[in-house]
Amino acid sequence: MKTPFKLHNIVKRYGEREVLNIDQLSIPAGNIYTILGPNGSGKSTLLRIMALLLVNDEGQLEVLGEKVIWQKGQLLRLRRQMSMVTQTSFMFQGSVYYNVAYGLRARQMSAKKVRRQVGEMLEMVGMTAYRDADARTLSGGERQKVAIARALAVNPRVLFLDEPTSNIDLASATDIENHIRQINKQRKTTIIMVTHNLFQARRLADEVMFISDGRIIEKGTAEELFSQPRDERTAAFLRGETVF
Ligand SMILES: Nc1ncnc2c1ncn2[C@@H]1O[C@H](COP(=O)(O)OP(=O)(O)OP(=O)(O)O)[C@@H](O)[C@H]1O
Ligand SMILES: [Mg+2]
């Protein structure tokens, strides 16, 4: 696969305030790429731009080999190949089953295949018993699991995970991490993950990027960045100190 994401001088502002300024970023296919950074540093903003859910103010963006022109047909085609688990998972009104099946129905999959796929995904996140429950009555962690099942059900080429396991108990989070790894290995899915869990980043990531104040401070292999950060700000962040 071609390099799924190439960013060049991407700037995003809210009013006068610049919240993102990424000079160069290229994300290789088939990797687990992790983004680290303090609250408000622009991680979710960056994810939303790459997922084509938010328009940048300046710069060029290439997604799955196409120069993004924000034209309707192109957006639909590209968005269909990506899915995202957000920090707070939105549930559609309806059952857990309905939520996980949603993207599959939109892709005109046969009813039989939908049933099988949804069954497998619910099994994976340990939510089979909740199949017919009203999705909006689930606890935060349960919702997050359903959101993960929903995102993976469509077998995306790119999966964005914005703090996927932040409110999930340790045992379930370990299960989910294993599935993320398995999906990456088996399907060669490119995974772009934001996490505040440095252990999780270290366990899963091939490559890591550290951003602060909307700018890339450092990027490299997980091994390099965690064991020998080059920038003092990265080192401070990894030690749990405030980054200025
Ligand atoms: N719609 C918006 N309007 C105005 N400001 C916004 C908007 N969305 C985000 N911001 C600001 O942009 C900055 C980056 O936000 P973003 O959500 O990308 O941070 P983050 O790195 O994901 O943080 P966190 O770790 O807390 O999730 C923040 O200062 C935030 O307040
Ligand atoms: Mg965020």
Side-chain angles (χ1 to χ4, degrees), residues 103-119:
L104 300 174
R105 289 216 190 86
R107 285 165 176 77
Q108 271 117 40
M109 190 184 260
S110 74
K112 193 174 157 197
K113 274 195 176 161
V114 171
R115 267 201 304 280
R116 197 177 62 207
Q117 179 76 342
V118 174

Side-chain angles (χ1 to χ4, degrees), residues 17-225:
R17 201 159 73 91
E18 183 181 282
V19 298
L20 199 65
N21 188 332
I22 302 286
D23 48 358
Q24 292 294 347
L25 177 64
S26 163
I27 295 191
N31 261 9
I32 302 185
Y33 199 101
T34 296
I35 303 170
L36 303 176
N39 293 130
S41 56
K43 303 178 301 296
S44 298
T45 305
L46 174 60
L47 243 51
R48 288 173 54 75
I49 291 173
M50 290 196 286
L52 306 177
L53 300 171
L54 183 68
V55 187
N56 50 301
D57 295 313
E58 282 176 31
Q60 289 86 44
L61 177 63
E62 245 183 63
V63 174
L64 298 166
E66 290 188 40
K67 198 169 156 48
V68 176
I69 54 169
W70 301 96
Q71 177 256 346
K72 222 174 158 187
Q74 179 189 49
L75 291 178
L76 194 64
R77 184 173 62 250
L78 293 175
R79 281 179 187 148
R80 282 222 163 155
Q81 302 177 66
M82 311 193 268
S83 54
M84 161 117 85
V85 178
T86 52
Q87 281 177 278
T88 47
S89 28
F90 174 82
M91 291 286 116
F92 302 118
Q93 186 170 8
S95 66
V96 165
Y97 184 92
Y98 174 82
N99 270 270
V100 179
Y102 192 86
L104 300 174
R105 289 216 190 86
R107 285 165 176 77
Q108 271 117 40
M109 190 184 260
S110 74
K112 193 174 157 197
K113 274 195 176 161
V114 171
R115 267 201 304 280
R116 197 177 62 207
Q117 179 76 342
V118 174
E120 272 178 30
M121 293 299 118
L122 289 178
E123 192 68 41
M124 174 192 93
V125 294
M127 287 293 287
T128 305
Y130 292 82
R131 188 181 180 278
D132 300 315
D134 177 346
R136 295 195 163 171
T137 64
L138 300 177
S139 75
E142 289 166 348
R143 280 175 181 231
Q144 198 68 354
K145 291 180 190 176
V146 173
I148 291 167
R150 183 172 62 192
L152 289 177
V154 297
N155 194 10
R157 281 171 74 189
V158 179
L159 175 66
F160 293 101
L161 299 169
D162 201 346
E163 298 179 39
T165 58
S166 53
N167 55 0
I168 288 182
D169 66 69
L170 191 56
S172 307
T174 304
D175 273 355
I176 288 167
E177 275 186 20
N178 289 335
H179 286 291
I180 291 171
R181 199 179 286 114
Q182 197 182 341
I183 276 155
N184 169 255
K185 290 281 166 292
Q186 289 175 352
R187 305 182 187 171
K188 306 275 178 269
T189 310
T190 302
I191 296 176
I192 303 173
M193 180 176 77
V194 171
T195 182
H196 286 296
N197 182 334
L198 300 180
F199 299 104
Q200 178 171 67
R202 208 165 180 165
R203 278 193 296 269
L204 288 178
D206 297 306
E207 297 202 41
V208 184
M209 169 175 114
F210 172 62
I211 74 173
S212 176
D213 248 343
R215 290 173 184 263
I216 300 178
I217 304 296
E218 183 165 350
K219 52 184 193 261
T221 65
E223 179 55 33
E224 283 165 359
L225 193 129

